[in-house]
Amino acid sequence: MSEVRVRIAPSPSGNLHVGTARTALFNFLFAKKNNGKFILRIEDTDADRTSQEYIDNIFDSLKALGLNWDEGPDVGGPYGPYTQSERFDIYPVYVQKLLESGFAYECFCTPEELEQEKEEATAAKKAYVYSKKCENLTEEEKAQLRAQGRKPAIRFNIAKAQKAFYETSILKFDDLVKGELQMDTDLLGDFVIQKSNGAPTYNFAVVIDDALMKITHVIRGEDHISNTYKQILIFKALGFEVPEFGHLGMILAPDRSKLSKRHGATAVSDFVKQGYLTEALINFVALLGWAPSDGEEIKPVDKIAADFRIREISSSNSIFEYDKLKWMNSHYIKALPIETLKEMLKPYLAQYDLSELSDAQYTKMVELTREPLTLLSDITDAVPYFFGGANVMVDAEVQSEVLDTDDSQQVLTAFAQQAVSWDWTEESLHDKLEVFRGEFKEKGIKPKVTMWAIRAAVSGRTRGADMVGLLEVLGKDIVIARVKNAIKQESKI
Ligand code: GLU
């Protein structure tokens, strides 16, 4: 069997979409599983919608997800260039071949004429297919049209290809994911393969590239199924071997509509900005249509690759459950080594002055606050009270409900007096706090209330990092200064 060669062929008209990331992953896994090659091709034939920024984003996002390609625009390879705009001298050669073999013809129709045909079809309640008006123009007629300044587009002649290669107009193929698919190709209409400005259309360029790059399996979204019939006919007409095709179900939002920005992030780089780990994201997208044989959903890509079988991909649509992704993300955050996590959190701590903390304090702060993190960005709101020295922001409600009560004021006054002489180690703080709580319990103040008062004074909140750890990281001076700040003037010592 020849070497398996698959590709991802994004159009750089936006940042890399998670749907494209999933298609890339399934191609990558299929290549891995079959010792094949995974190729990146940039499909930038539509110059108006293309930008270098998007191309860079596609490269960076795929790399961040670990989907490294064997051949592509940057790394090259035996069948380059791998960017369509750099292949514009290749496509006309094949257009010419089709013109010569009669599988294509020049079409001089103006946009207005085509619009009129479409309107007539709509009025007659018929699906529009091109009338083939230009199929049999004589050389003389063509010369006249050219003399009028008209430039022809080139159309593919469906009926001609049908007759040459198939007995009926029904074209069937065995889809790797969906099983047998078929369509009446009479409904396709003679489509344009080269625009009047000389640019190839998507359906044409993709076939030439897939053929010349020796792609053996085309795995992509099911929105391309109707294109596949057109492409098979072009492969046939040019005498190329037809690759196998596999079409993946769509990814829908939880409300079953098309996944879009109003549901949340859709671009890989936006997920990353929001604090998702690429390991979680790639694991999550693998489960959109594929299920591990052992039911273990949390799996790194190399384990998924070992278990992956293309024929087991579900042919139906998948729902993008943001909550499930969050759950996976929290799992991956928990598994990160502390030093890695410390580095990864830094962009989300930009508003704080990290130099206030020693490395040991920063480590401890991260250890104390990592547990509930669902997104890396959750750290931003989890840690303000580790910064700012003697000053801490106190929530208004915490002030009135907790700090201002008589019980709290008593607790804080006693704390400020006693804690100055405490040993500021984890063990000692643990013991001292226990005794301290005990004393207040005897005075009728619940241990919970005692702890709340201290926590509220020190952090401005009633919930957060483990108390002993928090006191230890902040250090005695800051803790006592904050507690003193929380004591009302009249009860100040
Ligand atoms: N450029 C096409 C897209 O982004 C690729 C389709 C294909 O894989 O053939 O949808």
Side-chain angles (χ1 to χ4, degrees), residues 7 9-11 41 43 202 206 210 218-220 223-224 231:
R7 82 320 189 261
S11 303
R41 183 172 71 227
E43 300 207 326
Y202 155 72
V206 86
D210 284 342
V218 172
I219 303 166
R220 59 186 171 197
D223 48 334
H224 283 291
Q231 293 172 18

Side-chain angles (χ1 to χ4, degrees), residues 10 14 35 48 50 59 138 211 218 221 225 271 349 425-426 454:
N35 291 320
D48 295 344
T50 294
F59 278 36
T138 62
V218 172
I225 291 178
F271 282 100
L349 296 170
T425 63
E426 190 179 335
I454 301 170

Side-chain angles (χ1 to χ4, degrees), residues 342-410:
K342 277 164 62 185
E343 277 315 303
M344 294 188 91
L345 289 175
K346 281 185 180 164
Y348 303 95
L349 296 170
Q351 69 193 74
Y352 303 112
D353 182 4
L354 274 183
S355 69
E356 285 181 31
L357 305 179
S358 67
D359 184 56
Q361 284 174 308
Y362 179 46
T363 306
K364 186 88 190 177
M365 179 192 94
V366 173
E367 280 169 355
L368 290 171
T369 51
R370 70 181 294 173
E371 177 63 26
L373 297 181
T374 300
L375 301 174
L376 293 174
S377 53
D378 291 342
I379 196 73
T380 315
D381 290 331
V383 297
Y385 52 85
F386 284 92
F387 302 89
N391 302 313
V392 69
M393 275 274 294
V394 180
D395 295 342
E397 209 180 327
V398 173
Q399 183 71 44
S400 59
E401 309 271 314
V402 182
L403 290 179
D404 291 348
T405 66
D406 291 345
D407 284 355
S408 292
Q409 289 296 313
Q410 258 196 68

Side-chain angles (χ1 to χ4, degrees), residues 90-204:
I90 298 175
Y91 307 119
V93 177
Y94 292 91
V95 170
Q96 197 52 38
K97 283 190 186 197
L98 290 179
L99 284 170
E100 281 162 17
S101 55
F103 286 114
Y105 58 88
E106 291 176 312
C107 169
F108 291 85
C109 291
T110 61
E112 294 74 29
E113 285 169 329
L114 295 172
E115 197 44 50
Q116 200 185 334
E117 281 192 359
K118 280 182 197 157
E119 278 168 19
E120 282 165 15
T122 313
K125 296 200 164 53
K126 281 193 188 146
Y128 171 69
V129 288
Y130 174 59
S131 65
K132 292 168 84 76
K133 199 159 91 185
C134 293
E135 186 189 4
N136 295 312
L137 292 177
T138 62
E139 287 309 319
E140 215 182 342
E141 287 167 323
K142 288 187 205 171
Q144 269 175 15
L145 288 159
R146 262 186 242 278
Q148 289 170 21
R150 292 207 198 181
K151 288 208 172 74
I154 312 295
R155 287 184 186 270
F156 188 78
N157 193 331
I158 302 251
K160 182 93 193 270
Q162 260 169 20
K163 282 206 194 78
F165 306 109
Y166 301 97
E167 279 157 21
T168 74
S169 65
I170 305 296
L171 178 51
K172 294 182 184 168
F173 71 95
D174 181 24
D175 190 275
L176 292 164
V177 177
K178 293 187 177 283
E180 191 177 274
L181 294 177
Q182 60 175 29
M183 188 187 180
D184 185 346
T185 52
D186 279 347
L187 302 174
L188 290 174
D190 287 352
F191 57 93
V192 172
I193 56 173
Q194 183 177 284
K195 298 181 207 164
S196 56
N197 66 5
T201 58
Y202 155 72
N203 274 308
F204 188 69

Side-chain angles (χ1 to χ4, degrees), residues 8-19:
I8 181 73
S11 303
S13 55
N15 290 334
L16 188 84
H17 191 276
V18 272

Side-chain angles (χ1 to χ4, degrees), residues 5 25 94 132 147 207 215 276 387 480:
R5 292 176 58 81
L25 171 66
Y94 292 91
K132 292 168 84 76
V207 169
I215 300 301
Y276 287 94
F387 302 89
I480 293 184

